[in-house]
Amino acid sequence: MLGFLQRPVVVTADVNLNIVVLTLMGLLSRLWQLTYPRAVVFDEVYYGQYISFYMKRVFFLDGSGPPFGHMLLALGGYLGGFDGNFLWNRIGAEYSSNVPVWSLRLLPALAGALSVPMAYQIVWELRFSHCAAMGAALLMLIENALITQSRLMLLESVLIFFNLLAVLSYLKFSNSQKHRPFSLSWWLWLMLTGVACACAVGIKYMGAFTYLLVLGVAAVHTWHLIGDRTLSNVSVLCHMLSRTVALVVVPVVMYLLFFYVHLILLYRSGPHDQIMSSAFQASLEGGLARITQGQPLEVAYGSQVTLKNAFGKPVPCWLHSHQHTYPMIYENGRGSSHQQQVTCYPFKDVNNWWIVKDPGRHQLEVSNPPRPVRHGDVVQLVHGMTTRLLNTHDVAAPLSPHSQEVSCYVDYNISMPAQNLWRLDIVNRESPADTWKTILSEVRLVHVNTSAILKLSGAHLPDWGFRQLEVVGEKLSRGYHESAVWNVEEHRYGTSQEQKERELELHSPTQVDISRNLSFMARFSELQGPAALLQWRMLTVRSDDTEHKYSSTPLDWVTLDTNIAYWLHPRTSAQIHLLGNVVIWASAGLATVLYAMLFLWYLLRRRRKICDLPEDSWRRWVLAGVLCVGGWAMNYLPFFLMDKTLFLYHYLPALTFQILLLPMVLQHLSDHLCRSQLQRSLFSALVVAWYSSACHVFNTLRPLTYGDKSLSPSELKALRWKDSWDILIRKY
């Protein structure tokens, strides 16, 4: 019974020493002197601010991408004990003793290091030789730009890591499909593909390009499975469902999870609150929550309210009035009603308060019990400080002559009667009998007499209007428009009918204790609006500011006619630059062109029934091109459509796919185009010489990659191979 104890327990494992050595070399190249320089380097000033917000649990909104990348950087700070107390105000600022530089830069460095053995595995999974796989990994290892970017608190190396992980996982899944479908490893690699794609998109929106690439390849493979008559209908259905769950459902769930964790962590009011809705602001601790906590939920007749415009553009503002009137004659000669001005004011002010009045009663205080206002009810809005009613009529607005002027009615006894009845339209109502709710309800105010809708035009009034924003009655509005939607931000139940007592009441804070919460999906949906708007503006609208001196165009990246000075030592000539290895960049571009030419040549010959490659080799060649050339194109060509400020580091994800392709093209040339052994020997010698030149360039540029060596003017001049280096030479 216990005989098994008489024999030793033996565990055997296959260890690929190539991967072990490459991993160690990658770690050495990325982790060596990671804390140097102990100063803010280039975009670390940008990401560092968000890390501090995470440490202090302060809400922020970054339009450059989803929050997963920021959270990873913040995780490094958390593991290092960073308290968030550092002023990220300028590049080159020395880090204080409380900043754990090593842990902040650790995760990007690990991602860059692990990308080296991952490149080896991708080429091997594509069924190319170990020699080609080793060549791809070595190119990743000695590429100066990749080393520089991964040794700093930046996100490109993390994005590249998850891009490669997604491709590698799918290749391992695809190879498992041929032998062990629905096995444990099959499920592992399939699910890991979806997770890696979600993480890539969660780092930066650029990760969506690789996700679409993988999704496209998976769709083609699934289409072939559907046509496989050896599989039963049930088996085909299981294949389709499993891929849908892993490659669509899992990424969507994980994307939501990133934002869920983001919003759980950032529960305090922050600097970006003002661009969010009142409901979102009220869900944060501090800020608006201190003002709105305990407000009555349902707006009633006699309620005192402030109305915030939901659009918030060009700035968040509140419906406002004051004793000043519109001028009798505008600058263009048009006449006005000379009524009391109504504007949208971007600051909290006592003149932002309005009283919701029942047109059939004179009371301006809330009855007991309160009578809530419902969707479709007709109300009057009384300005709290002047007691005049919100009004509009068939008079052109000051700056929008096709819209109606909005005013508070002044009776001049000149045959212009008041038109101050407004019908409440709750846009986000759940039923026709919904009540008007504080913060939560988005409402439109429709003028009863003219059907005009109260709307923010966004135009700034002249000096007579104190540069405040124009409010108009828009008669042509159709459907939902954010500039015509308002919500109650501050709310109290009025208790006084006397004007002097009411003015004192309007100046006092609310005291009622009623709380409310906003669901995650509501917060997520709202967060996507400003984030998407910011991202769209970043992608399509060029700033009016002066062009950044290190910005570049996509064409500059391919020719390597650009670089970025990341850091200069304040006392010596030591410096860090984002520089590409010119041998690798030029060869990778040439390999891409050569692949495209060979692919077209083979395709034309196959059309004429001439098969130069065996079928297995052809499929391998096509898949390599789809993933590598497709990965390069998907991560590079979209930048030609973007009118934003671009930098050299935007090209690094695309370059990675070109580097993977290069040794595969070299192996293909050796195996299929070199006819004799002599030709193969000469070609191999050329490849070795080429690798040696790439290593030489890496070693030459090493002082600018690590920044650990002072450079004399002559040494700096020796590094120049392009005219763009003249500016550096003149400095020294």
Side-chain angles (χ1 to χ4, degrees), residues 338-464:
H338 198 47
Q339 297 283 319
Q340 182 172 303
Q341 296 175 16
V342 171
T343 65
C344 208
Y345 190 52
F347 301 99
K348 294 185 182 298
D349 187 87
V350 70
N351 280 315
N352 298 345
W353 284 96
W354 300 81
I355 302 170
V356 181
K357 179 180 176 296
D358 184 346
R361 303 190 180 188
H362 296 290
Q363 287 82 0
L364 294 179
E365 74 273 10
V366 176
S367 60
N368 190 14
R371 293 189 302 122
V373 183
R374 300 183 182 277
H375 169 71
D377 285 355
V378 175
V379 301
Q380 292 175 313
L381 291 178
V382 182
H383 186 241
M385 298 302 292
T386 63
T387 68
R388 287 175 174 155
L389 279 73
L390 186 69
N391 182 84
T392 187
H393 36 226
D394 194 14
V395 175
L399 304 180
S400 306
H402 297 292
S403 301
Q404 292 181 180
E405 174 193 273
V406 175
S407 62
C408 279
Y409 181 73
V410 181
D411 187 5
Y412 292 119
N413 195 21
I414 55 172
S415 301
M416 181 179 283
Q419 297 183 17
N420 49 37
L421 298 179
W422 301 85
R423 188 178 69 256
L424 185 72
D425 178 17
I426 302 179
V427 177
N428 60 341
R429 62 187 180 276
E430 296 180 357
S431 70
D434 263 10
T435 58
W436 189 3
K437 295 181 179 64
T438 306
I439 292 179
L440 303 178
S441 293
E442 298 177 351
V443 304
R444 297 192 310 172
L445 293 168
V446 183
H447 191 235
V448 173
N449 297 76
T450 63
S451 299
I453 298 174
L454 189 71
K455 180 180 177 182
L456 171 66
S457 76
H460 286 272
L461 294 170
D463 290 340
W464 54 258

